[in-house]
Amino acid sequence: QVQLVESGGGVVQPGGSLRLSCGASGFSFSMYGMIWYRQAPGKERELVAAVSRVGGTTKYGDSVKGRFTISRDNAKNTVYLQMNSLKPEDTAIYYCNRARYDVWFQGGDLWGQGTQVTVSS
């Protein structure tokens, strides 16, 4: 089966850190860029971060630059999102997405189920 499975979400206090993981199976992981999106209630879906095939190039949404880091381990078929200095406005469901084959930072049609991140004191 072709699938993405997120894990690592939870509740954290403002200023805290959390690391999300997304495990991939059923396809050649290293041939695709990978993207993290998030969506909060009442808000549009937002690109959080994207990483190229071998991890050498990254792209971040303006609201998370300097705080979040995307990385990947192709040997483990896993993409990570390290989130530091978390703010209440980071509260959202975070989704892992396989990028288009030809454009590493544009979203494709393969999604994980999402993992909830809640930042609250």
Side-chain angles (χ1 to χ4, degrees):
Q1 59 274 41
V2 179
Q3 64 178 28
L4 303 171
V5 180
E6 302 96 332
S7 62
V11 180
V12 65
Q13 293 185 334
S17 298
L18 207 60
R19 188 179 78 161
L20 306 183
S21 298
C22 173
S25 60
F27 66 94
S28 183
F29 180 72
S30 64
M31 294 298 294
Y32 293 87
M34 297 297 297
I35 304 172
W36 287 97
Y37 288 93
R38 69 185 183 188
Q39 188 164 25
K43 294 186 177 181
E44 296 291 319
R45 185 185 67 195
E46 176 186 21
L47 186 146
V48 177
V51 61
S52 61
R53 294 177 180 182
V54 299
T57 308
T58 57
K59 178 182 178 68
Y60 296 94
D62 289 341
S63 63
V64 307
K65 288 180 180 177
R67 300 189 298 121
F68 290 10
T69 302
I70 188 170
S71 62
R72 66 190 297 162
D73 187 338
N74 286 347
K76 296 181 178 180
N77 287 354
T78 302
V79 60
Y80 304 96
L81 183 68
Q82 178 67 47
M83 304 183 293
N84 298 325
S85 301
L86 283 162
K87 304 175 180 180
E89 52 263 43
D90 294 319
T91 296
I93 301 176
Y94 285 71
Y95 296 94
C96 183
N97 173 260
R98 187 180 73 180
R100 290 172 52 138
Y101 184 79
D102 55 337
V103 186
W104 62 269
F105 55 86
Q106 292 190 356
D109 57 6
L110 180 64
W111 296 83
Q113 84 288 349
T115 187
Q116 176 71 47
V117 172
T118 301
V119 184
S120 176
S121 59

